[in-house]
């Protein structure tokens, strides 16, 4: 175990206020996009730098807080152009359209004093990013552009119980529970019947685990399975499965309504009240039922939810009634219909399978499996949940457990009390004496025979009763039959209602994304819950079309393949995202396994073929056709899919593999090197494939990126496609105090280039290499830790990570990536924050980003003066490079500045007094908290172009990282690298 610790010192880009008088005035003006700086310029007092030195920089004793200037009050009690961490900076990243809040760019911060534009006393920087071309400018153009739900719009939002658990249970406890479960166990026997339920639960549980991982990898919007798959695998897979899944839910409405109609027709038949005939009566009752359900759905989610609760109560009572009924001694009438009290011989007789009428294990499984498809009922209304990330895993998996146990319990109880065949004739009895029973009790129905009933005629003629023949066995078994009828109505209608709601919402989400432009008509919503009225009507039409089939055993296998295809892709999405190892794959739900998800995907595909091979081929043909269609159409969306991540990784690996391949004449490719004069008289060597540099080390790619394509067709600078650098990494120049001036200028010049062209910048300092055992030994409190000090081993001690989430989160992302690697997987991160935001805000933000951390510490004494020893160390560090013009005459001072423009002036030290003090103080805090760290990651101060001298900037970096374990200074490029969107 090592503690890979982090300190979120939201440092340190202060407003440099006294560069020269004209710029000084502009720098204090307010920028609408940034924090308010103040209406009046600050009053500066003479500092210690003007006339000499003091022990701590401002004449105050150690432990006192520095006087705070009005120009620097914000994250650390100082004002700065940097914004403190704000959730709005991470909204809508990658959105198709819509406005979003932005922080200042790195280039704006780098040369804000060189390129400020003054307008009405303000620095002009926009607050928002412009909409992309083709947008109508409304925030609802796509789901990512909508601000996360806070329930201020009056819309109905559900928690995990009402929105997921109840909905999933009702959908799983569907038509099969009371109408087909006894038939399934009659055909398969309870031995294979358990396998049927277990196999269904394995498929749904693995899918539930995969879904939980995906839906906790960011904010989940409306669209259910479509949303999860499309945001993970991309629009091609999402668009194809979205249509199939919406259609499957629409057909499921028909399946559940037909189950309800069958029950009603059986009641009519018992009372000689058939209207036309059984088949047409099912059609009539089914169509009337779906019209009523449509009315409830159109009334809104609130009415639908209330109806679901009522149906759940009825269903729970009915289920309890079954268990109670199996324990009540059977009456003569019930015995004639095959129901007896618990009997071991009946139970064992029902153990082996007895497939009839051409049924097989897989055909029976195909009929039962739709009972398990309700696991996505909660996910399908993800847009109506208060907290989908918390609700979906908890509610879905608990629903699978509860319903699985319920199905198994009821099935076993029925198998122990009901025989497969019975005549229903109360006169089919025989004497109960053993001598009389022996001649009769052979062949089939031995258990019933030993109970004194002769059902041997069922071997010759078909009987109407028993678990194999009567779909209303549950009614007979129960303590009070009408309750089972009510439970059947409840189970079927609740499942139908859930599917009737799910199909339009999934379809609406698909249409909103405009994957299929012809379907944009169905994207429109109505009311405070954005109800898809048009989708309801379309679902109604599809449901009626399948209700006309009026045969449950025909409809059920049709949707099994569609649901299985959806489940397969959900599992594959989880596997693929894990396999891609994208930094954006950080699910908060940890109880999943990529190989288990792959197994689930393969299992779903296999089950599809064994259920119905031609239906499976048809499903895949439709899916492939839709996939190709979306691929050709190329919708204007970019969701950061795992498909892109794998493509990127493959490209990098293939490019690296070429390094070991010798050149061959047949594979010659021209790779031009263009030598140019770079801007600002900095000569640079530009290589179209690689970057080499002269003097300043960094090729000025951004400058040529816009010029080259105009000059050379299809030519891009620095890299190929997306394979281009975005981070500059370099080592710390430890000899800056002894190196010549040109060397220091060249080193800092590289950093200036990186800042100007908005590269992320990483500087690594290792004072004594990677072996820090001497530091560990110096601290007695860590003597109990392991003695391993090699770089690939973790030591159990704390470390510090200075993180900089308000500048794109690179300082969070890089340590996280390290912890995903084998050598660092046991490392932990402690986060230290100073000033704003507070611990609660930071904790909330990290939870949204799914970043694991050991603890968050708030540093409340960041503005305290550094101690005299630390300050003396810094003064000695910069002494050889100071002008000390404050103590000299004006003429001599001007001459010194002219002859040594690179030296540190008293005015410069005065201007950056607060920033200088902060670097020294931060080093003290780092040593106090993180001397035993494996690695320290801290935000790198930026050098204002033309404002901070090279030697002062190097002194900042030096004093900040001095006498510490391996330390990484990181400066992001102010482009988001973290998002809380799925």
């Amino acid at each position: 175990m090592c503690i890979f610790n982090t300190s979120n010192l939201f440092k340190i880009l202060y407003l440099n206020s006294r560069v020269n008088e004209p710029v000084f005035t502009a720098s204090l003006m307010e920028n609408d996009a940034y924090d308010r700086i103040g209406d009046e310029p600050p009053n500066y007092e003479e500092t210690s730098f003007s006339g000499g030195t003091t022990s701590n920089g401002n004449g105050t004793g150690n432990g006192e807080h520095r006087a705070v200037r009005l120009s620097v009050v914000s994250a650390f009690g100082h004002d700065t152009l940097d914004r403190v961490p704000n959730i709005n900076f991470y909204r809508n990243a990658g959105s198709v359209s819509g406005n979003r809040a932005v922080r200042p760019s790195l280039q704006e911060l780098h040369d804000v004093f060189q390129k400020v534009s003054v307008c009405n006393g303000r620095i002009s920087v926009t607050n928002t990013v412009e909409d992309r071309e083709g947008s109508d400018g409304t925030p609802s153009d796509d789901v990512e552009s909508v601000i996360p739900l806070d329930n201020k719009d009056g819309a109905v939002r559900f928690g995990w119980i009402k929105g997921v658990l109840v909905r999933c249970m009702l959908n799983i406890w569907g038509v099969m529970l009371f109408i087909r479960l006894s038939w399934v166990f009659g055909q398969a026997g309870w031995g294979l019947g358990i396998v049927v339920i277990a196999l269904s639960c394995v498929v749904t549980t693995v899918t539930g685990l995969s879904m939980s991982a995906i839906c906790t990898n960011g904010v989940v919007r409306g669209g259910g399975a479509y949303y999860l798959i499309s945001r993970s695998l991309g629009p091609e897979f999402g668009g194809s499965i979205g249509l199939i899944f919406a259609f499957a839910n629409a057909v499921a409405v028909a399946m559940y309504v037909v189950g309800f109609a069958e029950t009603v027709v059986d009641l009519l038949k018992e009372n000689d009240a058939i209207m036309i005939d059984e088949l047409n009566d099912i059609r009539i009752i089914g169509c009337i039922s779906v019209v009523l359900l449509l009315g409830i759905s159109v009334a809104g989610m609130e009415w639908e939810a209330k109806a679901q609760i009522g149906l759940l109560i009825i269903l729970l009572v009915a289920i309890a009634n079954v268990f109670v009924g199996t324990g009540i001694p059977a009456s003569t009438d019930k015995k004639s219909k095959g129901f007896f009290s618990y009997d071991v011989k009946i139970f064992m007789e029902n153990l082996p399978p007895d497939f009839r009428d051409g049924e097989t294990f897989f055909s029976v499984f195909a009929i039962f499996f739709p009972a398990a498809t309700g696991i996505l009922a909660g996910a399908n209304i993800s847009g109506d949940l208060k907290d989908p990330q918390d609700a979906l895993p908890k509610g879905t998996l608990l629903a699978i457990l509860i319903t699985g146990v319920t199905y198994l319990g009821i099935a076993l109880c029925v198998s122990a009390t009901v025989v497969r065949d019975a005549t229903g004739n109360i006169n089919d009895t025989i004497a109960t004496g053993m001598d009389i029973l022996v001649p009769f009790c052979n062949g089939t129905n031995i258990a019933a025979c030993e109970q004194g009933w002769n059902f041997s005629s069922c071997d010759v003629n078909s009987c109407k009763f028993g678990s194999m023949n009567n779909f209303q066995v549950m009614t007979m078994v129960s303590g009070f039959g009408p309750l089972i009828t009510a439970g059947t109505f409840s189970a079927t209608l609740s499942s139908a209602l859930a599917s009737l709601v799910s199909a339009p919402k999934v379809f609406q989400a698909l249409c909103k994304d405009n994957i299929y432009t012809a379907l944009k008509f169905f994207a429109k919503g109505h009311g405070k819950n954005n109800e898809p009225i048009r989708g309801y009507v379309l679902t109604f039409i599809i449901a009626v079309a399948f209700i006309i089939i009026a045969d449950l055993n025909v409809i059920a296998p049709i949707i099994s393949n569609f649901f299985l295809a959806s489940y397969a892709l959900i599992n594959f999405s989880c596997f693929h995202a894990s396999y891609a190892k994208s930094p954006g794959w950080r699910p908060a739900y940890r109880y999943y396994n990529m190989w288990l998800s792959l197994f689930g995907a393969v299992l779903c595909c296999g089950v599809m073929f064994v259920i119905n091979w031609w239906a499976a081929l048809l499903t895949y043909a439709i899916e492939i056709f839709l996939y190709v269609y979306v691929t050709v159409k190329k919708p204007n969306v970019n969701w950061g899919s795992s498909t892109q991540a794998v493509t990127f990784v493959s490209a990098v690996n293939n490019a690296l593999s070429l390094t070991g391949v010798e050149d061959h004449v047949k594979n010659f490719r021209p790779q031009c090197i263009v030598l140019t004069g770079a801007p600002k008289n900095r000569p640079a060597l530009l290589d179209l494939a690689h970057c080499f540099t002269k003097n300043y080390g960094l090729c000025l790619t951004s400058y040529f990126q816009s010029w080259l394509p105009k000059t050379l067709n299809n030519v891009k600078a620095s890299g190929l496609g997306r394979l281009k650098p975005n981070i500059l990494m370099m080592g710390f120049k430890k000899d800056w105090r002894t190196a010549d001036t040109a060397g220091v200028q060249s080193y800092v010049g590289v950093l200036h280039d990186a800042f100007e062209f908005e590269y992320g910048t990483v500087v690594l300092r290792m004072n004594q290499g990677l072996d820090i055992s001497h530091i560990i030994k110096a601290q007695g409190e860590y003597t109990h830790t392991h003695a391993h000090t090699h770089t690939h081993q973790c030591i159990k001690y704390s470390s510090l990570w200075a993180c900089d989430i308000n500048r794109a989160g690179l300082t969070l992302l890089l340590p996280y990536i390290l912890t995903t690697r084998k050598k660092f997987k046991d490392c932990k991160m402690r986060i230290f924050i100073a000033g704003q935001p507070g611990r609660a805000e930071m904790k909330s933000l990290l939870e949204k980003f799914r970043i694991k951390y050991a603890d968050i510490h708030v540093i409340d004494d960041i503005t305290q003066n550094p101690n005299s020893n630390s300050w003396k160390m810094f003064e000695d560090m910069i002494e050889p490079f100071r002008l000390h013009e404050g103590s000299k005459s004006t003429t001599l001072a001007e001459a010194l500045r002219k002859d040594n423009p690179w030296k540190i002036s008293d005015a410069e030290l005065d201007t950056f007094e607060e920033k200088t003090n902060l670097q020294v103080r931060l080093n003290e805090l780092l040593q106090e908290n993180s001397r035993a760290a494996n690695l320290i990651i801290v935000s790198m101060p930026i050098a204002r172009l033309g404002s901070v001298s090279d030697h002062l900037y190097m002194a900042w970096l030096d004093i900040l990282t001095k006498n510490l374990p391996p330390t990484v200074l990181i400066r992001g490029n102010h482009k988001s690298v973290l998002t809380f969107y799925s």
Side-chain angles (χ1 to χ4, degrees):
M1 294 283 294
C2 110
I3 300 186
F4 198 97
N5 189 5
T6 54
S7 140
N8 181 9
L9 303 172
F10 289 119
K11 30 193 275 257
I12 301 168
L13 284 179
Y14 298 99
L15 181 61
N16 296 325
S17 53
R18 289 188 70 181
V19 180
N20 50 54
E21 288 303 318
V23 177
F24 165 76
T25 304
S27 69
L28 294 178
M29 295 176 181
E30 183 179 350
N31 179 349
D32 282 341
Y34 310 148
D35 292 334
R36 189 173 182 84
I37 295 172
D39 298 326
E40 298 294 335
N43 294 320
Y44 294 97
E45 298 180 0
E46 193 71 11
T47 67
S48 59
F49 292 118
S50 301
T53 60
T54 63
S55 62
N56 60 15
N58 62 4
T60 58
N62 182 40
E64 298 180 6
H65 288 262
R66 300 187 295 272
V68 179
R69 296 176 176 172
L70 296 179
S71 62
V72 277
V73 186
S74 184
F76 299 97
H78 303 296
D79 226 344
T80 166
L81 287 180
D82 273 337
R83 299 295 296 271
V84 297
N86 188 324
I87 196 171
N88 290 313
F89 292 147
Y90 299 93
R91 296 196 196 282
N92 315 326
S95 176
V96 174
S97 62
N99 297 325
R100 64 178 184 266
V102 293
R103 73 210 90 196
S105 69
L106 181 60
Q107 188 176 29
E108 287 167 341
L109 291 175
H110 181 229
D111 58 5
V112 68
F113 296 104
Q114 304 296 319
K115 298 181 179 179
V116 293
S117 60
V118 181
C119 178
N120 296 325
R122 300 187 175 199
I123 300 175
S124 176
V125 182
T126 57
N127 277 307
T128 57
V129 171
E130 294 180 359
D131 293 339
R132 295 187 184 178
E133 184 177 355
S135 166
D136 62 8
T138 58
S140 59
D141 277 355
D142 84 289
V143 290
E144 275 76 24
S145 66
V146 181
I147 294 177
L149 305 174
D150 54 12
N151 207 28
K152 293 180 180 179
D153 54 1
V156 178
R157 307 294 178 211
F158 304 110
W160 75 273
I161 295 179
K162 195 173 181 180
V164 182
L165 179 64
V166 170
R167 191 172 297 274
C168 286
M169 288 195 304
L170 283 172
N171 218 4
I172 296 172
W173 284 332
V175 65
M176 299 299 166
L177 181 61
F178 296 121
I179 298 181
R180 290 293 188 273
L181 184 60
S182 58
W183 177 85
V184 168
F185 270 63
Q187 290 277 354
W190 62 262
L192 287 180
I194 292 175
V195 176
V196 169
I197 294 179
L199 182 58
S200 300
C201 288
V202 167
V203 172
T204 56
T205 301
V206 174
T207 305
L209 294 173
S210 299
M211 182 200 70
S212 298
I214 298 173
C215 72
T216 58
N217 191 49
V219 173
V220 177
R221 301 301 197 191
Y226 158 71
Y227 184 91
L228 299 178
I229 294 171
S230 63
R231 269 50 176 185
S232 180
L233 290 178
E236 298 83 4
F237 283 102
S240 58
I241 206 63
L243 277 180
I244 292 175
F245 188 72
F247 180 76
N249 274 279
V251 176
V253 175
M255 181 186 74
Y256 296 124
V257 169
V258 168
F260 167 76
E262 279 188 4
T263 305
V264 175
V265 168
D266 285 341
L267 291 175
L268 294 177
K269 186 167 59 175
E270 289 179 6
N271 295 280
D272 294 326
I274 295 294
M275 294 178 287
I276 302 176
D277 55 60
E278 291 186 21
L279 188 65
N280 285 306
D281 282 7
I282 290 175
R283 291 168 179 165
I284 294 171
I285 296 170
C287 290
I288 295 173
S289 301
V290 79
V291 170
L292 296 176
L293 293 176
L294 178 65
I296 296 175
S297 301
V298 171
M301 288 295 296
E302 190 170 3
W303 284 96
E304 187 264 355
K306 290 178 179 178
Q308 294 281 28
I309 293 296
L311 293 171
L312 175 65
I313 294 173
I314 297 173
L315 186 57
L316 289 174
V317 173
I319 291 173
N321 186 41
V322 172
F323 287 109
V324 171
T326 57
I328 298 176
S331 63
T332 302
D333 180 65
K334 287 188 176 182
K335 288 181 179 179
S336 69
K337 295 177 180 177
F339 171 69
F340 301 89
S341 298
Y342 285 99
D343 187 276
V344 174
K345 292 183 178 179
I346 293 177
F347 190 58
M348 296 308 299
E349 187 177 81
N350 286 329
L351 169 61
D354 186 14
F355 294 113
R356 303 177 188 176
D357 302 325
E359 301 292 348
T360 64
F361 170 81
F362 291 107
S363 66
V364 170
F365 175 80
I367 291 172
F368 173 80
F369 183 76
T373 58
I375 64 168
L376 295 181
N380 290 339
I381 64 160
S382 53
D384 297 297
L385 299 176
K386 293 177 182 177
D387 185 1
Q389 292 173 281
D390 176 70
L392 289 175
K394 193 188 312 182
T396 302
L397 294 174
L398 186 57
I400 293 173
L401 176 63
I402 294 173
T403 55
V405 171
T406 304
Y407 268 110
L408 189 60
I410 290 180
L412 291 178
C413 287
V414 172
S415 297
T417 57
V418 180
V419 296
R420 284 188 167 104
D421 298 289
T423 61
N425 188 346
I426 60 175
N427 296 318
D428 287 343
T429 58
I430 55 178
T432 56
M434 289 300 299
D435 294 337
I436 300 176
L437 286 175
V438 170
F440 291 95
C441 298
N442 51 41
T444 60
N445 295 306
I446 296 177
C449 180
E450 292 182 356
Q451 290 279 354
W453 291 85
N454 181 15
F455 296 146
S456 58
S457 62
C458 294
D459 294 338
V460 180
N461 302 312
S462 62
C463 294
K464 296 183 178 180
F465 297 96
S467 61
M468 293 286 282
N469 310 300
N470 183 14
F471 290 153
Q472 303 300 323
V473 164
M474 296 298 181
T475 303
M476 177 187 66
V477 168
S478 66
F480 183 61
L483 274 179
I484 298 302
T485 303
T488 304
F489 291 170
S490 174
T492 53
L493 292 178
S494 63
S495 298
L497 188 58
S499 297
L500 186 57
V501 170
S502 298
K505 287 191 174 290
V506 172
F507 191 55
Q508 182 187 35
L510 172 65
C511 297
K512 273 189 173 183
D513 286 338
N514 207 21
I515 302 297
Y516 303 100
T517 54
L519 301 177
K520 185 70 174 178
F521 172 80
F522 295 97
K524 184 175 178 57
H526 301 269
K528 60 185 179 181
N529 268 66
N530 198 34
E531 296 293 346
I533 303 299
R534 297 171 180 175
Y536 284 134
V537 175
L538 179 62
T539 303
F540 169 79
I541 295 172
I542 295 173
V544 169
F546 279 85
I547 287 173
I548 293 175
I549 296 176
D551 189 342
L552 196 62
N553 288 10
V554 173
I555 299 174
I558 293 176
I559 64 172
S560 291
N561 272 285
F562 286 166
F563 279 114
L564 280 167
S566 304
Y567 292 175
L569 276 183
I570 289 176
N571 284 300
F572 184 72
S573 297
C574 182
F575 163 76
H576 201 261
S578 303
Y579 174 77
K581 295 181 179 178
S582 170
W585 175 247
R586 303 185 302 276
Y589 187 82
R590 305 290 178 180
Y591 305 104
Y592 73 96
N593 180 275
M594 61 181 288
W595 301 113
L596 184 62
S597 296
L598 180 61
F599 167 76
V602 173
L603 179 63
C604 290
C605 293
V607 170
M608 287 177 66
F609 278 96
V610 297
I611 286 177
N612 191 318
W613 66 268
W614 63 264
L617 289 177
L618 179 61
T619 302
Y620 281 116
I622 295 172
E623 187 174 334
I624 291 171
F625 170 78
L626 295 174
Y627 178 90
V628 172
Y629 175 84
V630 176
T631 302
V632 172
K633 287 295 183 180
K634 291 184 174 62
N636 184 27
V637 294
N638 182 9
W639 295 318
S641 65
S642 59
T643 306
Q644 295 173 345
V646 169
T647 301
F648 182 86
V649 171
S650 299
V652 172
N653 290 336
N654 290 336
L656 290 175
S657 68
L658 289 176
T659 59
V661 178
E662 295 184 4
D663 292 338
H664 194 281
V665 62
K666 291 191 292 184
N667 296 323
F668 172 75
R669 292 287 190 277
Q671 300 182 65
C672 302
I673 298 178
V674 181
L675 183 62
T676 69
K680 302 182 183 176
N681 297 319
R682 292 180 184 168
L685 187 64
L686 178 66
D687 183 347
L688 300 185
H690 305 280
C691 260
F692 302 94
T693 58
K694 183 177 180 182
N695 292 342
Y696 285 94
L698 181 66
C699 71
L700 306 179
T701 344
S702 300
Y703 174 77
F704 299 103
Q705 191 73 45
S706 60
W707 170 76
L708 276 174
K710 299 175 183 177
T711 310
L712 304 174
N713 291 332
N714 299 320
V715 175
K716 293 183 179 179
S718 179
L720 179 64
R722 293 296 178 186
L723 294 181
K724 56 185 178 182
N726 53 23
I727 296 177
L728 169 69
M729 183 172 182
M730 55 196 303
F732 178 72
K733 187 175 179 59
K734 292 191 291 186
D735 65 342
W736 70 272
R737 298 173 66 182
T738 58
D740 57 26
T741 303
V744 175
Q745 290 176 336
S746 178
Y747 181 86
V748 178
V750 172
L751 297 177
H752 279 301
D753 285 342
F755 294 148
E756 184 163 345
F757 295 106
E758 297 185 331
Y759 274 55
T761 308
V762 176
V763 174
L764 173 63
R765 180 173 188 177
M766 297 180 294
N767 291 332
Q768 289 83 27
L770 292 176
D771 187 351
I772 56 172
S773 57
H774 63 286
I775 297 179
I776 304 302
K777 292 177 181 178
Q779 293 186 281
E781 61 267 31
Y782 296 107
T783 55
H784 65 283
T785 59
H786 300 292
H788 304 298
T789 57
H790 300 295
T791 59
H792 66 281
Q793 292 175 317
C794 287
I795 306 170
K796 197 169 184 178
Y797 51 79
S798 61
S799 53
L800 182 69
W801 169 22
C803 113
D804 181 8
I805 226 176
N806 59 322
R807 287 188 288 279
L810 188 65
T811 333
L812 269 178
L813 183 63
L814 292 185
Y816 166 78
I817 293 175
L818 284 178
T819 60
T820 63
R821 298 310 187 257
K822 185 177 181 180
K823 294 179 181 178
F824 294 94
K825 66 182 178 67
D826 294 325
C827 296
K828 296 182 180 179
M829 298 186 291
R830 277 193 306 157
I831 299 176
F832 287 75
I833 61 175
Q836 307 266 342
R839 187 179 190 278
E841 292 86 348
M842 187 62 196
K843 181 180 179 181
S844 175
L845 202 56
L846 288 173
E847 288 175 352
K848 287 184 180 294
F849 288 136
R850 295 95 58 207
I851 296 291
K852 292 183 67 176
Y853 60 91
D855 199 3
I856 298 176
H857 298 267
V858 178
I859 301 175
D860 55 7
D861 58 351
I862 191 70
T863 58
Q864 181 176 304
N865 286 309
N867 64 51
S868 57
N869 292 333
S870 299
W871 189 254
K872 183 64 165 58
M873 185 188 303
F874 177 77
E875 288 186 321
D876 292 342
M877 189 181 293
I878 65 172
E879 180 61 29
F881 314 108
R882 289 191 58 184
L883 283 174
H884 286 297
E885 80 280 13
S887 59
K888 298 176 176 61
S889 65
T890 303
T891 304
L892 181 57
E894 289 295 333
L896 287 173
R897 278 193 289 265
K898 184 176 181 179
D899 295 338
N900 303 280
W902 54 272
K903 282 198 171 185
I904 306 171
S905 68
D906 290 343
E908 181 182 6
L909 289 176
D910 179 40
T911 299
F912 297 108
E913 177 186 357
E914 294 292 339
K915 196 164 186 177
T916 300
N917 281 330
L918 184 61
Q919 313 311 315
V920 182
R921 176 60 181 150
L922 285 175
N923 179 262
E924 291 179 351
L925 292 170
L926 290 168
Q927 294 201 48
E928 179 182 339
N929 292 280
S930 302
R931 284 290 300 275
N934 274 36
L935 184 65
I936 297 173
I937 301 181
V938 65
S939 305
M940 181 166 65
I942 194 171
R944 303 290 191 186
L945 186 61
S947 304
V948 182
S949 62
D950 297 334
H951 285 81
L952 178 59
Y953 183 64
M954 290 303 302
W956 285 350
L957 301 185
D958 197 341
I959 196 63
L960 176 60
T961 59
K962 195 172 183 62
N963 298 326
L964 292 174
T967 302
V968 175
L969 295 170
I970 294 183
R971 185 74 198 188
N973 65 356
H974 282 232
K975 292 179 173 62
S976 293
V977 297
L978 293 172
T979 179
F980 50 77
Y981 289 106
S982 176

